[in-house]
Amino acid sequence: MTSPASSLIHPNLHPDERAARVELAACYRVFAMLGWTEMIYNHITVRLPDSVTGGEKQFLINPFGLHYSEVTASNLVKIDLAGRVLDGSAHPVNPAGFTVHAAIHDGLPGAHCVMHTHTTAGMAVACVQGGLSLSNFYAAQLHGRVAYHDFEGVTVHADEGPRLLASIGDKPAVILRNHGLLVWGQTLPQAFVTLWTLQRACEVQLATLSMGTPIPVAEAIAEQCKRDALQFHPAQGAGQDVFDALVRQVDRLDPGYRA
């Protein structure tokens, strides 16, 4: 296996793929900065545009074996829906990564980016009978936007894909019961701001339940919160400003992910 920083982005790479690689590598570093990591596990993937693939469904994924803090634009791996490496990378790919992510990239036309985490707060909410409680500011913004999918074990079996898609429907945030959190978005920043909101909702719920019985948010108020939560919508930037602010922090710490 080559070292994490052993190569640079190929100079003849399509500019759209170059941009996608840099943005995705930045996102991995943001996750590392926020502590949303699970050793070498979990994944963030981006589907490459038709301008790069000629219409084929291909996406970028992290090289298995590297910590998120080691991911760079050049060591991201380009694969197809079957997990076949397309860019000559010597890095392996985790089957548990491309199986779920490929199903979503393939089955949901708007799923440009897919993110999956095993944060303590996210897993705790995924493991509790009631799931996400409609009892805090962040959960209210996600009212009616969260899907649930029952646990089927380690996600390496392709036949789970159709059942996962059926569970998701058109909801951008997913709680994988007994497992963790998953989101998808039309852009990477949109997926990020959805995950950030879901993660914060879980963190607040975890803290609240340690203190006592939560105060429920009324259904009508939750509906209003969902309508007023404009940060998810493209017309309001869909999380771009939030993501850009975090990337600036990453750049101050270590801009080497761009290589």
Side-chain angles (χ1 to χ4, degrees):
M1 180 185 296
T2 57
S3 64
S6 63
S7 60
L8 300 177
I9 301 181
H10 194 282
N12 296 327
L13 202 64
H14 192 290
D16 292 344
E17 180 172 345
R18 181 187 301 271
R21 283 178 173 272
V22 171
E23 182 180 57
L24 181 55
C27 190
Y28 275 102
R29 297 302 184 92
V30 166
F31 273 44
M33 182 177 68
L34 294 174
W36 294 357
T37 59
E38 186 82 347
M39 301 297 284
I40 60 171
Y41 303 103
N42 296 163
H43 308 280
I44 314 164
T45 58
V46 163
R47 187 168 61 195
L48 288 167
D50 290 348
S51 59
V52 174
T53 69
E56 297 293 323
K57 291 182 178 178
Q58 302 171 0
F59 58 100
L60 298 171
I61 193 169
N62 51 317
F64 189 47
L66 300 188
H67 188 266
Y68 281 15
S69 62
E70 298 177 300
V71 172
T72 67
S74 59
N75 66 29
L76 287 163
V77 185
K78 179 163 62 173
I79 60 176
D80 63 13
L81 294 176
R84 290 184 289 261
V85 175
L86 303 174
D87 56 5
S89 174
H91 292 282
V93 174
N94 185 4
F98 72 75
T99 301
V100 166
H101 288 241
I104 297 173
H105 285 305
D106 187 31
L108 298 175
H112 166 75
C113 179
V114 181
M115 301 175 172
H116 173 50
T117 60
H118 284 178
T119 61
T120 298
M123 289 190 72
V125 171
C127 292
V128 73
Q129 187 67 46
L132 189 66
S133 168
L134 188 59
S135 60
N136 67 65
F137 175 79
Y138 296 106
Q141 295 177 57
L142 293 170
H143 182 54
R145 296 169 57 86
V146 180
Y148 290 84
H149 178 66
D150 289 338
F151 186 56
E152 297 189 25
V154 180
T155 53
V156 294
H157 303 289
D159 65 347
E160 185 177 355
R163 293 188 292 276
L164 174 62
L165 291 172
S167 296
I168 293 173
D170 62 352
K171 292 179 170 60
V174 188
I175 292 178
L176 303 172
R177 294 191 187 277
N178 310 104
H179 187 169
L181 306 180
L182 183 147
V183 302
W184 60 273
Q186 297 177 40
T187 66
L188 185 151
Q190 184 186 53
F192 177 83
V193 78
T194 300
L195 180 59
W196 184 87
T197 306
L198 181 58
Q199 171 66 19
R200 287 293 288 139
C202 291
E203 290 171 349
V204 174
Q205 178 174 328
L206 189 62
T208 303
L209 292 177
S210 73
M211 298 171 65
T213 304
I215 303 169
V217 174
E219 186 87 12
I221 296 297
E223 281 293 327
Q224 180 179 319
C225 285
K226 180 175 69 173
R227 293 193 300 269
D228 291 344
L230 300 178
Q231 74 268 25
F232 304 120
H233 302 292
Q236 301 295 325
Q240 187 70 56
D241 51 356
V242 173
F243 183 71
D244 288 347
L246 291 171
V247 172
R248 289 194 295 272
Q249 291 187 49
V250 168
D251 279 330
R252 287 192 290 270
L253 294 170
D254 178 13
Y257 70 89
R258 296 178 177 272

